[in-house]
Amino acid sequence: MTGDQLVRQHGSAVRVTVRVQPRSSREAIEGEHGGAWRIRVRAAPVEGAANDAVCALLSKALELPRGAVRIVSGASGRNKVVELDGLSVAVARARLAAATEVH
């Protein structure tokens, strides 16, 4: 999957393909790796805690309200599709790239 396919338009929303590493020692967006944006969260994958942490991290990094970020596919696995409301594809890509530079 190319970088253009990892962040794509879907109707009025933007969808991002991510691969989550739960129980990490830190929380970070690490950039594109293996066909997805790699995201590390401290939360364990128990009762949706890791999913909530992914949404919270993306919400903060992308400067979106928490309600504008939701997992639409892969809630029980490491590979997920996250939908974002209120951003264009170009802005989402730029903010993801900026978030990786900080870490």
Side-chain angles (χ1 to χ4, degrees):
M1 194 174 281
T2 67
D4 290 345
Q5 295 170 319
L6 301 181
V7 181
R8 61 204 176 280
Q9 193 72 43
H10 184 80
S12 62
V14 172
R15 288 193 172 180
V16 180
T17 303
V18 300
R19 176 150 176 95
V20 178
Q21 175 65 52
R23 292 189 181 119
S24 179
S25 61
R26 63 191 174 99
E27 295 202 345
I29 300 171
E30 293 193 332
E32 297 177 30
H33 296 282
W37 280 88
R38 187 171 190 174
I39 297 180
R40 293 182 179 269
V41 294
R42 288 185 180 105
V46 178
E47 296 180 7
N51 289 339
D52 290 342
V54 167
C55 290
L57 179 63
L58 286 172
S59 171
K60 183 177 177 184
L62 300 174
E63 302 171 22
L64 288 171
R66 173 61 186 85
V69 180
R70 66 190 161 279
I71 295 173
V72 295
S73 175
S76 63
R78 289 181 188 238
N79 297 316
K80 303 177 186 305
V81 176
V82 180
E83 192 166 82
L84 313 168
D85 289 328
L87 286 181
S88 68
V89 170
V91 171
R93 284 187 185 127
R95 289 184 184 174
L96 283 165
T100 62
E101 294 170 3
V102 173
H103 301 286

